[in-house]
């Protein structure tokens, strides 16, 4: 591809008839006789004819100023850009002027290729009396690290730090083919997932699932591919069903809802809070911890046949109504986190102890006094970690299950 055949390298040189060697190549298409210094244009024509006889497609290129680095770089970039969609590009920078070699290497490393790049240099330890490597000792030394690969590694690092917005932004420059397309799409999907845009994320993740099956053993993309596969096969359907069911409950349509779906949703919101903790975004971590606990209470109420968004006291038994009035002191139209837990306690869903009561009050007060809610405090690390731990424990207690194993199931690992 980049300088794929011998005559492309020949054509790029500006021959000066000063004993300049035609080329170094393990198996050149055309070799001059010793001490011959043929016209490069004639050589290029003969090599092209020879290649065509072998069924090879050849394109010759000429550089107007082969000793001008700016000119060489401009023309090399233009040439390699035309090859950017190829599955594999091989750039041999052995011959030519120093400016040409420097330009082709720099252009290759800064071009976004959809496929692989290999940089080749033909050298050897055995040389003739003129300092040139003899053919029998020639060997190709390979190296490959493209701008695309470097960008992909940086994106993966950002995703490991759960900085999906930056990762998705950086991924916009990736080619839309192969492994780079998978990473580009996955970074966008996880950004959407991290922002609770479950439906949009699910569409992308399901579209990636087939390729994820292939990439699970990839040394760099394997864990991300496994995350995609796990979310698609074990998580997405349950969470989407639960979110859609909750939306119907909000408008009074009390459809069936599953305990596993509620548990998975709460586990995912807790994982979201955990990611904000890792990003040192304390206020956001507090709000998401609170939201996870609130979702657990809403789910437990719905599973008990009580609509927290359209609370109807008269649908409870006389005994339960009396307990609710005693605990709440009034009949709210909508149940909040605290009134929801008290209602669950009244109908026998949970029994709250003194310890859990203090934890719950701490979660509520820290959230309410946050500058993002009703107060003017900026939550600190200690606040965020404490509220997260309390929310994790109380949510599991409300739903009757340890949520830690489910948090591992929904974890976004890269």
């Amino acid at each position: 591809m980049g300088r794929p055949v011998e005559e492309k390298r020949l054509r790029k040189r500006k021959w000066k008839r000063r004993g300049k060697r035609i080329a170094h190549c393990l198996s050149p298409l055309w070799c001059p006789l010793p001490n011959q210094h043929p016209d490069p244009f004639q050589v290029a024509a003969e090599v092209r004819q020879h290649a065509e006889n072998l069924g090879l497609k050849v394109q010759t290129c000429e550089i107007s100023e082969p000793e001008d680095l700016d000119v060489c770089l401009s023309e090399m970039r233009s040439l390699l850009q035309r090859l950017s969609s190829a599955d594999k590009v091989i750039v041999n920078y052995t011959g030519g002027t120093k400016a040409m070699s420097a330009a082709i290497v720099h252009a290759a490393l800064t071009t976004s290729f959809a496929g692989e790049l290999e940089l080749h240099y033909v050298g050897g330890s055995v040389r003739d009396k003129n300092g040139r490597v003899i053919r029998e000792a020639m060997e190709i030394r390979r190296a490959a690290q493209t701008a695309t690969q470097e960008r992909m590694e940086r994106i993966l690092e950002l995703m490991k730090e759960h900085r999906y917005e930056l990762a998705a932004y950086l991924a916009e420059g990736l080619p839309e083919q192969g492994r780079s397309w998978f990473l580009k799409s996955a970074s966008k999907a996880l950004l959407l997932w991290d922002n609770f845009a479950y439906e949009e994320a699910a569409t992308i993740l399901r579209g990636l699932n087939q390729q994820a099956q292939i990439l699970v053993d990839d040394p760099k993309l394997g864990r991300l591919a496994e995350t995609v596969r796990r979310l698609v096969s074990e998580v997405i359907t349950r969470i989407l069903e639960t979110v859609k069911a909750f939306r119907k409950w909000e408008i009074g349509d009390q459809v069936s809802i599953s305990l596993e779906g509620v548990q998975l949703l709460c586990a995912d919101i807790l994982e979201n809070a955990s990611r904000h903790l890792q990003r040192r975004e304390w206020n956001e971590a507090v709000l998401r911890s609170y939201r996870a606990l609130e979702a657990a209470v809403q789910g437990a109420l719905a599973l008990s046949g009580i609509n927290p968004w359209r609370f109807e006291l008269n649908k409870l038994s006389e005994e339960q109504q009396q307990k609710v009035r005693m605990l709440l002191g009034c009949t709210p139209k909508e149940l909040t986190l605290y009134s929801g837990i008290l209602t669950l306690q009244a109908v026998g869903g949970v029994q709250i102890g003194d310890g859990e009561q203090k934890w719950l009050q701490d979660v509520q007060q820290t959230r309410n006094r946050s500058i993002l809610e009703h107060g003017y405090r900026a939550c600190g690390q200690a606040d965020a970690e404490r509220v997260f731990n309390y929310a994790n424990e109380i949510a599991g207690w409300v739903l009757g299950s340890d949520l830690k194993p489910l948090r591992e199931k929904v974890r976004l690992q890269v």
Side-chain angles (χ1 to χ4, degrees), residues 133-407:
V133 179
I134 65 173
R135 178 179 297 183
E136 291 76 11
M138 287 181 180
E139 60 182 24
I140 295 179
R141 298 170 184 175
R142 295 175 172 85
Q145 180 70 357
T146 68
T148 298
Q149 290 171 313
E150 290 181 358
R151 179 174 293 206
M152 289 176 68
E153 289 179 5
R154 179 56 181 149
I155 291 167
L156 285 169
E157 287 300 319
L158 288 169
M159 293 175 73
K160 287 176 185 176
E161 297 168 2
H162 307 298
R163 300 189 178 279
Y164 304 112
E165 187 171 1
L166 288 174
Y169 175 78
L170 192 59
E172 285 298 317
L174 290 176
E176 295 192 356
Q177 289 183 341
R179 296 167 74 252
S180 57
W181 172 80
F182 177 83
L183 180 58
K184 181 177 183 176
S185 301
S187 65
K188 182 178 180 180
L190 296 195
L191 172 62
L192 291 166
W193 190 274
D194 193 52
N195 284 288
F196 302 111
Y198 290 122
E199 288 94 343
E200 294 175 74
T203 299
I204 298 175
L205 291 169
R206 284 168 172 162
L208 292 174
N209 194 36
Q210 185 174 357
Q211 191 173 4
Q213 304 286 350
I214 300 170
L215 291 173
V216 288
D217 295 323
D218 186 279
K220 300 218 173 148
L221 297 179
R223 292 192 75 184
L224 176 59
E226 176 58 28
T227 294
V228 171
R229 186 209 62 78
R230 173 169 37 81
L231 291 176
V232 171
S233 63
E234 303 177 30
V235 176
I236 285 176
T237 300
R238 286 292 190 187
I239 285 186
L240 287 183
E241 287 175 349
T242 304
V243 170
K244 291 175 181 177
F246 275 152
R247 289 173 184 165
K248 290 186 176 181
W249 277 70
E250 288 176 342
I251 60 175
D253 185 5
Q254 298 185 187
V255 298
S256 63
I257 193 167
S258 74
L259 173 60
E260 182 186 359
V262 173
Q263 290 172 336
L264 271 176
L265 178 61
C266 292
D268 187 67
I269 301 173
L270 283 168
E271 274 300 295
N272 195 298
S274 175
R275 292 193 291 272
H276 283 275
L277 279 175
Q278 294 177 57
R279 296 200 290 255
R280 305 181 66 83
E281 296 168 352
W282 315 127
N283 289 312
E284 296 292 340
V286 166
L287 297 185
R288 281 158 174 75
S289 299
Y290 179 94
R291 185 67 187 94
L293 180 52
E294 185 177 46
V297 171
Q298 290 170 338
L301 288 166
L303 290 166
S304 299
I306 300 170
N307 191 332
W309 296 279
R310 294 168 177 261
F311 182 53
E312 296 177 282
L313 184 63
N314 58 9
K315 289 190 174 182
L316 303 180
S317 67
E318 282 294 331
E319 182 182 359
Q320 290 174 338
Q321 290 182 39
Q322 290 178 3
K323 288 183 178 180
V324 168
R325 291 192 185 98
M326 181 181 67
L327 290 171
L328 299 185
C330 63
T331 305
K333 293 182 179 180
E334 185 172 344
L335 298 176
T336 62
L337 171 59
Y338 187 67
S339 61
I341 284 186
L342 292 180
T343 301
L344 284 172
Q345 187 174 0
V347 300
V350 296
Q351 293 300 317
I352 187 168
D354 292 339
E356 291 84 0
Q357 178 80 24
K358 291 179 180 178
W359 290 356
L360 180 60
Q361 289 175 348
D362 191 357
V363 170
Q364 287 183 291
Q365 289 176 358
T366 305
R367 175 257 190 182
N368 290 340
R369 292 172 182 173
S370 164
I371 195 167
L372 295 180
E373 284 298 324
H374 313 305
Y376 293 91
R377 287 183 54 200
C379 297
Q381 181 176 356
D383 296 321
E385 290 176 348
R386 185 183 67 255
V387 167
F388 173 79
N389 291 329
Y390 287 169
N392 186 71
E393 293 297 325
I394 300 174
W397 165 68
V398 167
L399 294 174
S401 173
D402 183 3
L403 297 180
K404 291 180 181 178
L406 292 178
R407 284 178 49 200

Side-chain angles (χ1 to χ4, degrees), residues 2-3 80 89-93 104-105 108 117-121:
R3 293 183 171 183
L80 293 176
V89 176
I90 299 175
V91 173
N92 189 318
Y93 59 97
I104 193 70
V105 170
L117 168 72
E118 279 193 11
L119 299 177
H120 285 192
Y121 180 81

